C-alpha cells in the first residue's frame, strides 16, 4: 500500500495506524523481518511523496503529522534500545536507513529532530569500516540539517568528521568541506577552520580531480605559531587530520607544507609546556598544558605510528617531525628519553640515518637503537607505539636480495625491543606476527611464502628474548598456558600446512617454544620434529636437502651439542642405503660445522662419529665416489667432506684421553698393505687431524710434547729392526707406514714451535724441548725424505733457543746438512728448501755456525753455480748470509755478477728484491777497486733502458740505495754520469711509475751533491730548458722543478731566466690549440702538450716556494694562457691549470685577508669577466670524463669559488647601470664575456651578450646591476644543472655538491633568486624525472642538498619554489603530450617511429634493470 498513491489514503482511515507502524521500531522483540518491513514502509512513503512533488496532498496528510514519530522511533531504535546488543541483525544504519534519512532531511524543521538524526549518524561515521559512498551519503544528510542544529552540537560533529580527513579521498574531503561551511553559518568560530580546509582542498580549474597547489600552499603559509592561539582544540584537530593526509602524499610540496604546519604546532607546544606564555591568564585562550599533552600523546604519536607503517618514501618527514618533537619538547618525559638518539653529527644521528637511502647507514642506526634499548632508558610506550610499526614495515619494504643485512638488523632490533616488554605487550607482538601472515603481501614482488619466512624469523628472534622465566608463579602459569595453548598449536599448524616443504625457522620456533615448556612436552614432541626434517634428506632435490641440513644444524645449535648423539642415531636410521649414505656423511659435516662451539666435546659419541667418517673414506661410499657417473649426479657424491669432519672432531675432543682413540682408524689401516691410493688418504686424514689438534682448546702443552715425543721415537725406532724391542707402546704400526705417523707428529711439533712464543728464560719450556734435539738428530738418519724435511723444519725453530743438547749434536747436524746440500742439485724439493733454511740460520747464529772451510765448500755447491738459470729464494737467502759473513773467494765475485743479472731480468718480485739486497750488501761490505765498482755502476746505468719496466724499477731502486748509503764523495764523483743517464731515461721512458722513480732518484741525488756538482747540474738543466732542442724541455722542466724543491730559496736568482721560457712554451701551446685543426682523439699527438704540462708543474713549484710573483703584473700574460689551457684537449693540462687557478685564488684571498685595504677585484683573475670565463671553462670540463677524485674535488672547489666570487663582486657593481658597467670594461674583458656566453650556449650566447652590452634597459641603476648579477650566476647554475642530467654520476655529484656550497655562501636572501635553477635538477633527480637511471648514493646526495637549500630558504619559500618547478614541468609534459597527439593525427609515420624509439629505450632500461638485480643477487 505504501508504494501506491491510490492506496495511501486508506492508511489514514484509522487515525493511529501509521504512527503505530513506526512505533514497531521501539518494540524490543521485533524480528529482523518486521523491522525491515517497517523501514521499507517508511522509505516508500517518503519516496512516493518526493516523486509526486505536492501533486497529491493525501500523502502529505498521511506522512507529515507522523514525521516526528518516525524520527523518535528511529532514534530509539539506534541509540536508546538497551537490548541492541541482542539484535545481531542491526549494528548501525545501512543503505535503506541512509536513504530514509536523506528523504527525511527535507521534512525536518525542529532542532530536536535534527539532533536525533545527528545522534544516529555520528556513531555511524565513527565506524571506519563503512564504505565511502555511504559515508558521503551521511555527510550530505548532516550538511542539510546542520542549519537546524544548536551550537552545542558543533564539537561532536567536528570530532566525528575529523578522522575522515586522515585517509579520505578528495570527494569525501570536499563533502566534509561542505559540512564545515554549513557549520560555520551556525558557529562563527568554525568559519576560519572551514575556510582553511576548503583552501587546503582547492581543486584545479584546469584539470578534473586535481588540486590547485598554489591555493593549497598559500593556505598552509597562512598558518603559523600565532594562529594556534586563535582556535580551539577540536578545530585544530581538523587541521591536524588534514596534515596527516598530506604528510603521506606522494607530492613533496604537500608533505613539506604539512610538515611545516605540524612543526609550527610543536614550537607552539614547546612554549605552552615551558610556560613561557601563561595561556591560562590570556583572554580568549583555549590551550592548556594538559590539552597539549593530550594531543601529542593520543593523537600525534598514535597517528605517527600508523603513518610509519606506510612505504619508506613518506616516512622521512615523519621521522624528522619526531626528531623535532624530541629536541623541542623536553618537558614531555616520554619524548625526552629519545634525546640520546640525536646527534649534531649527521653520520651518527639516528633519525637522520634510519630512513637514509644508503642501506649501511640504516643498519648503523638500528645498531645504535639496539644499544640504547639495551640500556632500558627509552619510553616503552612510544617505542611500541611508533618504532615497532616502523620496523615491522621496514622488514617488507626492503628490496629482496639487496638489503638482507638491514633486514637482519631490523629483526634483531625488534627482538631487543621485545626483551624489554611486559608480558601483555610481548604476547600481543607475537600474535601480531601470526596475524601478519594472513594479510596480503605489502608489495607485489613479495609473495606470501617470502613474508611468512620473514615473520617466522622474527618470531624466533622474539622467542629468543623470552624473559619471563623468573616471573611470579601466577605469571609463569599464564605464560606457559599461552605458549602451550596458543603459540604451540599455531606453530604446529604451520608445520603441518607446509608438509611438502621445509622451513628452517618454523622448526626452530617450535623448538624454542618447546624449550620454554615442561620437559615432558619437549620429549614427546622432539622426535617427531627431527624425524620429519631428516626424511627431507632423502629428497632428490638438492635445494630441499640443503634446507633440511640447515634446519637440523639450527635445531642442534638451539638444543645444544648434548643432543648430537640423538641426531646421529635418527640420521643413521633414516639414511641407510645408496645415495643416502653419501648424504649422511655430507650432513654430518654440515651439522658439526654449524653447531660446534669452542667448549663443545664429542667424547661421548666419538665412536659413532668416527664410524661414519671411516665408512665414507674407505667403505663402499668411497668406491661409489670414484665412479664418474655416480659422482656427477649429486653434490654429496661430488665432494668428500669427511676429511674436514675429521678436523672438526679433532678440535672437539678431550685431547689427553681421546687423542690416541682418534688415530685408531688410521692405525688399523696402517696394519694392512698400503696402496698409493690408501696412503694418500691416510696422509690427508693425518693432516686434518693435525689441523684439528692445533685448534683444540683442551690441548695442554706438556701433554702435546709427550704425545709427539712418543710417536716420533716409536717411528724412528721402527726403522731400525735391531731396536724393535725398545719400541714405545704408544702405537703399534708396521714398518710399512710408520713414517706417516712420524711425519704427522713432527708436523704438529713444527706448527706448535712456530706459533709458540719463544722465551729463552722459561726453564720449564726449555727442559721439555731439549730432548727433542737428540731425537731430531736421530731423525736426520731416516731414509724417508719427508721425515728428513720435517726434522729440519723443527730444528730450524729449536736452533734459536739456548738448549744444552745443541752443542753435543752440532757437528752431526752440520755434517748431515752439508751432505744433503751437496747431493741435491735442485732447490725445488721440500728437503732441499728445509736444508738451505737451516744452513742460513746456522750462518746467522753465533753459537753454532759454519767454519770458513765449510763456507768455501758451500759456495762451490751446484746450487750456486747455476743460480741465474734456476733461481731460488731460499738459495738467495743463504747467499745473502754468506755475503754478510764477508767470505772472500773468487767464486763469490762471479756469483754476485749472476745476482746482478738476475735482479734485472727476473720477473719474480721476491727474487728481484732479494738480489737487490745481496748486491747492495756486497757493494757496501766488500772492498772493491775503482774499476770493479765502475763496472757495476755501468751495468746499472746501462740497464736503465732494459725492455721490461720491472727491471728498470729494480735498477732505480738500487741506484736510490747507492745514493743514500754510499760515501758522499763517491756519489759526488759519479754524480754527472748518473744524472745524465737519469735525465735521458726521464725524457724517453713512457712508464709513469718508472718516471716517478726517476724523479725521486734525481731529487735525492741533488740533495746529496756538493755545491760545485750542484751548480754544474743546474747549468746543464738550464741550458737544456732554454736551448732549442724541444724533446729535452719536458725532462729539463721536471729536473728544474726538483731543483726548486731541493734548493728552495737558492733557486730564486734563476727565476727570471726560467719564466720567459715558460711564457714562450705556454704561448706556443695556446697557439697550437687556437690556430690549428687538431685530432684530439689521441691526446699524445697534440704538439707541445708535454712541454707545457711540465712547464706548468715547474711554475706551480716556483709559486709555492716564492709567493711574490703569483699576483704580480709581470706574469699576468701567463695567467691568461693558463685560463685558456683550462679548455685544452689534454686532461693533464686541464688538471694542472685547475691547480694553478686554485693556487691563485688562495693567494689572492690570503693577501686580502692580511691587507684589508686591497680588494679582490683588483687582481687579474678576480675580475668578473675572468671569474665568469673560469666558471664556464670548468663547466666545459664537466662535459668530459674526469681523471680521479683529486681532479673532481679541484673542479668543484674552483667552480664554487668562481661563482661565489662573481656573485660577491657583482654586488659591488650594483651601483652602476648596465651601460656604465659595460663602458668600464676593457675590450679584452668584453671579449671574455662574449666567449664565455658563446661557450655556454653556442646558439644564443652571442645574442644574450649583445642584449646586455646595448642600452636596452630603462630600469634604475640598482635593478640593472641586480639583473646582470642574477643573469650571470643564473646562466652558470642552469648550465651546471643541464650538464648534471646529461653526464655520469661523477659530474652529477660535483654539481650537486657545488649547489650545497654556493647555497651556504651566498646567503638566504640571494639564494631565493637562484633557488629555481638549483632545485630544478634536484627535483628531477629526487622525483624520478631525470630521464635516466639514478644511483642510490646520487639520489641520497640530491635529497640532502635539497634539504640544505630548504633550510636556507625556509620551508615556506622552499615550498613555493618547489611548487613552481612542479607546475612548470607538468605544463611542459602536458604540452608535449598534446604535440604527440597532434603528431599522431598529422604525421602518423613519424609518430610510429617515435613509438618504436621509445619502446627500444624501455627495453634497454628493462634489460639493464634485470642485469642490475642479477648482479645484486650474485654479490650477496
Amino acid at each position: 500500500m505504501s508504494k501506491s498513491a491510490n492506496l495511501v489514503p486508506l492508511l489514514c482511515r484509522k487515525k493511529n495506524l501509521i504512527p503505530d507502524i513506526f512505533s514497531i521500531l521501539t518494540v524490543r522483540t521485533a524480528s529482523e523481518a518486521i523491522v525491515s518491513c517497517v523501514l521499507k514502509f517508511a522509505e516508500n512513503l517518503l519516496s512516493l511523496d518526493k516523486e509526486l512533488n505536492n501533486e497529491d496532498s493525501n500523502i502529505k496528510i498521511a506522512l507529515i503529522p507522523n514525521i516526528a514519530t518516525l524520527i523518535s522511533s528511529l532514534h530509539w531504535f539506534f541509540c536508546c534500545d538497551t537490548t541492541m546488543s541482542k539484535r545481531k541483525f542491526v549494528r548501525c544504519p545501512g543503505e535503506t536507513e541512509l536513504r530514509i534519512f536523506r528523504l527525511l532531511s527535507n521534512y525536518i524543521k525542529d532542532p530536536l529532530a535534527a539532533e536525533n538524526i545527528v545522534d544516529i549518524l555520528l556513531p555511524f561515521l565513527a565506524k571506519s569500516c563503512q564504505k565511502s559512498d555511504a559515508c558521503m551519503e551521511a555527510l550530505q544528510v548532516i550538511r542539510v540539517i546542520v542549519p537546524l542544529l544548536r551550537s552545542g552540537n558543533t564539537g561532536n560533529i567536528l570530532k566525528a568528521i575529523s578522522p575522515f580527513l586522515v585517509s579520505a579521498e578528495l570527494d569525501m574531503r570536499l563533502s566534509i568541506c561542505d559540512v564545515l561551511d554549513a557549520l560555520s553559518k551556525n558557529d562563527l568560530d568554525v568559519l576560519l577552520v572551514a575556510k582553511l580546509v576548503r583552501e587546503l582542498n582547492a581543486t584545479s580549474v584546469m584539470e578534473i580531480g586535481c588540486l590547485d597547489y598554489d591555493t593549497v600552499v598559500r593556505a598552509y603559509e597562512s598558518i603559523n605559531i600565532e594562529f594556534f592561539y586563535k582556535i580551539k582544540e577540536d578545530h585544530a584537530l581538523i587541521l591536524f587530520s588534514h596534515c596527516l593526509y598530506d604528510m603521506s602524499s606522494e607530492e613533496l610540496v604537500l608533505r613539506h607544507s604539512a610538515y611545516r604546519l605540524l612543526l609550527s604546532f610543536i614550537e607552539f607546544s614547546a612554549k605552552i609546556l615551558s610556560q613561557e606564555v601563561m595561556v591560562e591568564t590570556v583572554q580568549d585562550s583555549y590551550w592548556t598544558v594538559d590539552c597539549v599533552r593530550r594531543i601529542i600523546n593520543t593523537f600525534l604519536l598514535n597517528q605517527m605510528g600508523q603513518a610509519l607503517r606506510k612505504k619508506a618514501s613518506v616516512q622521512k618527514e615523519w621521522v624528522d617531525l619526531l626528531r623535532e618533537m624530541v629536541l623541542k619538547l623536553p618537558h614531555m618525559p616520554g619524548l625526552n628519553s629519545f634525546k640520546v638518539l640525536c646527534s649534531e653529527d649527521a653520520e651518527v644521528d639516528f633519525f637522520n640515518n634510519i630512513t637514509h637511502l644508503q642501506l649501511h647507514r640504516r643498519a648503523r642506526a638500528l645498531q645504535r637503537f639496539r644499544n640504547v634499548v639495551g640500556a632500558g632508558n627509552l619510553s616503552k610506550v612510544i617505542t611500541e607505539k611508533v618504532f615497532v610499526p616502523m620496523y615491522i614495515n621496514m622488514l617488507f619494504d626492503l628490496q629482496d636480495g639487496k638489503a638482507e643485512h638491514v633486514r637482519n638488523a631490523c629483526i634483531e632490533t625488534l627482538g631487543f625491543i621485545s626483551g624489554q616488554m611486559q608480558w601483555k605487550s610481548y604476547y600481543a607482538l607475537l600474535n601480531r606476527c601470526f596475524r601478519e601472515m594472513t594479510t596480503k603481501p605489502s608489495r607485489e614482488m613479495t609473495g606470501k611464502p617470502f613474508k611468512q619466512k620473514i615473520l617466522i624469523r622474527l618470531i624466533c628472534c622474539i622467542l629468543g628474548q623470552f624473559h619471563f622465566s623468573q616471573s611470579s608463579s601466577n605469571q609463569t602459569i599464564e605464560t606457559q598456558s599461552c605458549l602451550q595453548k596458543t603459540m604451540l598449536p599455531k606453530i604446529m599448524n604451520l608445520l603441518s600446512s607446509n608438509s611438502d616443504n621445509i622451513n628452517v625457522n618454523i622448526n626452530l620456533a617450535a623448538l624454542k617454544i618447546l624449550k620454554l615448556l615442561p620437559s615432558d612436552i619437549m620429549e614427546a614432541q622432539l622426535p617427531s620434529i627431527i624425524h620429519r626434517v631428516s626424511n627431507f634428506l632423502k629428497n632428490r632435490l638438492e635445494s630441499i636437502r640443503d634446507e633440511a641440513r640447515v634446519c637440523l644444524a639450527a635445531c642442534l645449535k638451539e638444543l645444544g651439542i648434548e643432543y648430537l648423539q640423538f641426531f646421529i642415531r635418527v640420521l643413521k636410521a633414516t639414511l641407510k642405503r645408496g645415495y643416502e649414505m653419501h648424504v649422511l656423511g655430507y650432513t654430518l659435516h654440515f651439522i658439526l660445522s654449524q653447531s660446534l662451539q669452542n667448549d663443545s666435546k664429542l667424547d661421548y659419541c666419538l665412536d659413532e662419529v668416527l664410524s661414519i667418517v671411516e665408512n665414507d673414506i674407505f667403505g663402499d661410499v668411497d668406491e661409489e665416489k670414484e665412479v664418474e657417473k655416480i659422482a656427477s649426479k649429486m653434490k654429496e657424491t661430488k665432494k668428500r667432506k669427511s676429511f674436514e669432519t675429521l678436523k672438526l672432531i679433532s678440535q672437539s675432543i678431550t685431547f689427553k684421553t681421546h687423542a690416541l682413540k682418534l688415530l685408531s682408524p688410521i692405525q688399523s689401516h696402517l696394519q694392512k698393505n698400503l696402496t698409493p691410493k690408501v696412503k694418500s688418504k691416510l696422509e690427508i686424514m693425518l693432516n686434518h687431524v693435525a689441523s684439528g689438534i692445533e685448534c683444540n682448546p683442551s690441548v695442554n702443552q706438556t701433554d702435546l710434547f709427550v704425545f709427539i715425543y712418543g710417536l716420533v721415537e716409536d717411528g724412528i725406532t721402527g726403522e731400525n729392526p735391531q731396536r724393535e724391542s725398545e719400541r714405545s707402546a704408544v702405537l703399534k704400526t708396521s714398518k710399512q707406514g710408520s713414517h706417516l705417523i712420524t711425519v704427522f707428529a713432527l708436523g704438529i711439533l713444527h706448527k706448535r714451535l712456530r706459533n709458540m712464543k719463544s722465551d729463552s728464560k722459561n726453564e720449564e719450556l726449555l727442559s721439555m724441548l731439549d730432548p727433542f734435539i737428540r731425537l731430531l738428530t736421530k731423525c736426520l738418519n731416516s731414509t724417508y725424505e719427508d721425515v728428513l724435511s720435517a726434522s729440519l723444519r723443527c730444528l730450524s725453530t729449536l736452533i734459536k733457543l739456548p738448549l744444552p743438547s745443541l752443542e753435543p749434536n752440532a757437528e752431526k747436524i752440520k755434517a748431515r746438512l752439508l751432505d744433503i746440500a751437496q747431493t741435491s742439485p735442485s732447490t725445488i724439493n721440500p728437503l732441499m728448501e728445509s736444508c738451505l733454511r737451516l744452513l742460513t740460520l746456522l750462518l746467522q747464529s753465533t753459537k753454532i755456525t759454519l767454519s770458513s772451510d765449510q763456507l768455501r765448500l758451500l759456495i762451490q755447491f751446484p746450487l750456486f753455480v747455476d743460480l741465474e738459470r734456476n733461481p731460488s729464494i731460499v738459495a738467495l737467502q743463504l747467499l745473502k748470509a754468506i755475503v754478510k759473513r764477508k767470505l772472500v773467494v773468487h767464486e763469490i765475485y762471479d756469483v754476485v755478477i749472476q745476482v746482478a743479472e738476475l735482479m734485472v731480468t727476473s720477473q719474480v718480485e721476491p727474487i728481484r728484491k732479494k738480489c737487490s739486497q745481496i748486491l747492495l750488501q756486497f757493494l757496501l761490505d766488500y772492498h772493491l777497486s775503482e774499476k770493479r765498482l765502475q763496472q757495476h755502476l755501468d751495468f746499472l746505468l746501462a740497464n736503465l733502458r732494459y725492455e721490461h719496466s720491472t727491471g728498470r724499477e729494480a735498477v732505480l731502486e738500487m741506484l736510490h740505495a747507492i745514493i743514500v748509503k754510499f760515501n758522499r764523495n763517491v756519489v759526488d764523483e759519479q754524480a754527472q754520469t748518473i744524472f745524465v743517464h737519469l735525465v735521458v731515461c726521464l725524457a724517453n721512458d713512457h712508464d709513469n711509475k718508472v718516471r716517478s722513480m726517476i724523479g725521486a732518484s734525481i731529487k735525492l741525488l741533488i740533495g746529496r751533491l756538493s755545491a760545485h756538482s750542484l751548480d754544474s747540474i743546474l747549468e746543464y738543466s738550464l741550458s737544456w730548458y732554454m736551448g732549442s732542442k724541444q724533446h729535452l724541455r719536458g725532462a729539463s722542466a721536471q729536473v728544474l722543478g726538483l731543483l726548486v724543491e731541493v734548493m728552495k730559496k737558492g733557486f730564486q736568482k734563476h727565476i727570471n731566466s726560467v719564466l720567459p721560457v715558460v711564457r714562450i712554451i705556454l704561448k706556443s701551446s695556446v697557439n697550437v690549440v687556437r690556430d690549428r685543426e687538431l685530432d684530439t682523439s689521441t691526446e699524445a699527438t697534440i704538439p707541445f702538450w708535454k712541454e707545457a704540462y711540465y712547464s706548468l708543474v715547474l711554475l706551480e713549484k716556483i709559486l709555492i716556494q716564492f709567493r711574490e710573483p703569483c699576483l704580480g703584473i709581470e706574469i699576468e700574460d701567463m695567467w691568461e694562457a693558463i685560463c685558456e689551457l683550462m679548455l685544452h684537449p689534454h686532461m693533464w693540462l686541464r688538471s694542472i691549470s685547475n691547480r694553478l687557478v686554485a693556487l691563485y685564488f688562495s693567494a689572492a684571498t690570503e693577501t686580502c685577508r692580511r691587507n684589508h685595504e686591497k680588494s679582490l677585484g683588483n687582481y687579474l683573475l678576480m675580475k668578473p669577466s675572468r671569474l665568469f670565463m673560469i666558471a664556464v671553462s670548468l663547466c666545459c670540463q664537466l662535459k668530459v670524463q674526469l681523471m680521479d677524485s683529486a681532479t673532481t674535488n679541484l673542479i668543484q672547489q674552483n667552480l664554487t669559488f668562481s661563482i661565489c666570487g662573481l656573485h660577491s663582486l657583482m654586488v659591488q657593481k650594483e651601483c652602476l647601470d648596465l651601460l656604465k658597467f659595460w663602458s668600464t670594461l676593457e675590450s679584452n674583458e668584453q671579449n671574455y664575456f662574449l666567449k664565455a656566453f658563446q661557450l655556454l650556449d653556442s646558439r644564443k650566447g652571442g645574442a644574450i651578450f649583445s642584449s646586455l652590452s646595448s642600452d636596452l634597459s630603462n630600469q634604475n641603476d640598482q635593478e640593472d646591476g641586480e639583473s646582470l648579477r642574477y643573469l650571470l650566476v643564473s646562466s652558470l647554475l642552469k648550465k651546471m644543472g643541464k650538464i648534471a642530467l646529461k653526464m655520469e654520476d661523477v659530474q652529477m655529484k660535483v654539481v650537486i655538491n657545488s649547489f650545497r656550497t654556493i647555497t651556504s655562501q651566498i646567503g638566504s636572501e640571494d639564494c631565493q633568486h637562484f633557488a629555481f635553477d638549483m632545485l630544478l635538477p634536484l627535483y628531477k633527480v629526487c622525483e624520478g624525472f631525470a630521464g635516466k637511471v639514478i644511483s642510490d648514493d646520487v639520489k641520497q646526495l640530491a635529497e640532502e642538498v635539497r634539504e640544505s637549500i630548504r633550510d636556507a630558504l625556509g620551508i615556506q619559500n622552499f615550498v613555493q619554489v618547489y611548487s613552481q618547478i612542479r607546475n612548470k614541468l607538468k605544463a611542459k609534459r602536458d604540452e608535449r603530450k598534446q604535440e604527440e597527439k597532434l603528431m599522431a593525427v598529422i604525421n602518423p609515420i613519424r609518430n610510429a617511429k617515435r613509438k618504436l624509439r621509445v619502446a627500444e629505450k624501455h627495453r634497454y632500461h628493462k634489460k639493464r634493470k634485470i642485469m642490475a638485480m642479477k648482479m645484486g643477487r650474485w654479490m650477496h
Side-chain angles (χ1 to χ4, degrees), residues 975-1024:
Q976 289 191 9
T977 305
I978 296 174
F979 174 75
V980 171
H981 280 84
L982 288 175
V983 172
V984 172
C985 185
L986 184 64
N988 298 322
D989 206 301
H990 300 290
D991 188 277
N992 290 334
K993 184 177 179 182
V994 173
R995 292 168 62 84
S996 175
M997 294 176 69
I998 294 171
S1001 299
I1002 293 175
K1003 184 177 180 181
L1004 182 65
L1005 178 64
I1006 294 170
R1008 294 270 293 169
L1009 295 180
S1010 63
H1012 175 73
S1013 299
L1014 182 61
D1015 291 340
S1016 176
I1017 285 178
L1018 180 58
E1019 289 177 5
Y1020 275 127
S1021 303
L1022 289 172
S1023 63
W1024 292 335

Side-chain angles (χ1 to χ4, degrees), residues 1334-1359:
I1334 303 295
S1335 60
D1336 289 347
D1337 55 341
V1338 173
K1339 186 175 181 182
Q1340 180 61 40
L1341 177 63
E1343 290 177 356
E1344 292 175 357
V1345 175
R1346 183 184 65 187
E1347 290 176 9
S1348 68
I1349 295 176
R1350 181 194 68 184
D1351 296 338
L1353 292 175
I1355 296 179
Q1356 182 174 342
N1357 293 331
F1358 171 81
V1359 169

Side-chain angles (χ1 to χ4, degrees), residues 901 904-907 941-952 955 989:
E901 292 284 350
V904 177
T905 58
S906 176
Q907 295 300 310
L941 295 174
N943 280 288
L944 283 173
R945 296 183 295 277
Y946 185 68
E947 57 179 335
H948 298 294
S949 62
T950 54
R952 301 197 299 276
V955 171
D989 206 301

Side-chain angles (χ1 to χ4, degrees), residues 235-487:
H235 296 178
L237 284 174
I238 292 286
L239 296 175
F240 295 157
S241 298
H242 191 279
C243 282
L244 296 179
Y245 178 82
D246 282 347
M247 284 279 281
S248 300
S249 172
E250 294 289 340
E251 293 292 340
L252 184 71
V253 172
L254 297 180
R255 293 204 305 272
H256 276 191
S257 298
Y259 169 78
R260 177 183 165 277
L261 188 150
L262 292 175
L263 191 60
S264 298
F265 176 73
I266 297 303
E267 295 172 356
F268 167 77
S269 302
K271 291 185 176 182
I272 300 296
L273 294 174
S274 63
Q275 296 184 353
E276 291 180 5
V277 179
M278 298 297 296
V279 295
E280 291 84 354
T281 63
V282 179
Q283 189 177 5
D284 299 331
S285 178
Y286 307 107
W287 296 90
T288 63
V289 172
D290 292 337
C291 179
V292 168
R293 287 179 175 171
R294 182 170 58 251
I295 287 182
I296 292 173
N297 288 325
T298 62
F299 181 78
L300 276 183
L301 291 177
N302 279 339
Q303 294 297 333
M304 187 177 291
Q306 295 294 327
L308 289 174
R309 296 183 181 185
K310 300 177 181 178
K311 53 186 176 181
S313 60
V314 300
Q315 289 182 357
K316 174 65 176 171
E317 284 74 21
W318 281 109
V319 173
D320 289 345
L321 181 66
L322 179 59
R323 185 180 189 276
E324 294 297 325
M325 293 170 67
V326 170
L327 293 175
K328 294 183 178 179
L329 301 177
H331 299 283
M332 298 285 294
L335 288 170
N336 193 45
S337 65
F338 290 89
K339 198 168 184 177
V340 293
L341 296 174
C342 301
S343 174
E344 294 181 359
D345 186 358
E347 293 283 336
V348 179
D349 188 87
F350 165 81
F351 298 98
N352 180 63
N353 291 321
I354 193 60
T355 56
H356 207 280
L357 198 64
Q358 295 177 348
L359 297 178
H360 69 277
R361 295 182 70 169
R362 290 196 216 176
R364 191 165 64 227
L366 289 167
Q367 175 64 44
R368 187 174 185 198
F369 190 89
R370 287 199 300 275
N371 296 338
V372 177
V373 166
N377 297 326
L378 298 183
S379 167
K380 295 181 180 179
V381 175
I382 297 178
T383 301
E384 296 169 15
K385 189 183 294 184
V386 176
F387 289 99
V388 170
M390 181 173 71
Y391 293 153
I392 291 178
N393 178 68
M394 189 183 294
L395 285 175
F396 309 109
D397 197 58
L398 296 167
Q399 290 185 7
D400 304 342
K402 282 190 175 181
E404 279 305 310
H405 64 295
V406 181
R407 185 173 283 116
N408 294 336
C410 201
I411 290 175
E412 290 177 17
T413 305
L414 286 167
F416 266 80
I417 294 173
S418 68
Q420 306 292 325
M421 288 180 172
Q422 299 296 326
W423 166 247
K424 289 185 178 179
S425 300
Y426 182 91
Y427 184 57
L429 182 58
L430 278 175
N431 279 316
R432 178 178 179 178
C433 292
F434 282 103
R435 282 198 310 272
E436 287 284 344
M437 292 183 196
T438 61
T439 60
K440 293 182 179 180
S442 58
R443 294 185 291 118
E444 293 181 1
M445 62 182 298
T446 305
K448 271 195 175 182
F450 179 78
K451 185 176 184 181
Q452 186 188 80
K453 284 185 178 182
I454 294 176
L455 289 169
I456 291 294
R457 283 172 56 194
L458 178 57
I459 290 171
C460 289
C461 189
I462 294 172
L463 290 172
Q465 294 290 333
F466 187 86
H467 55 286
F468 305 102
S469 302
Q470 305 298 326
S471 304
S472 61
S473 57
N474 292 334
Q475 189 175 16
T476 302
I477 294 172
E478 180 186 356
T479 57
Q480 289 201 351
S481 175
C482 292
L483 290 174
Q484 183 178 351
K485 295 180 180 179
T486 306
M487 295 293 117

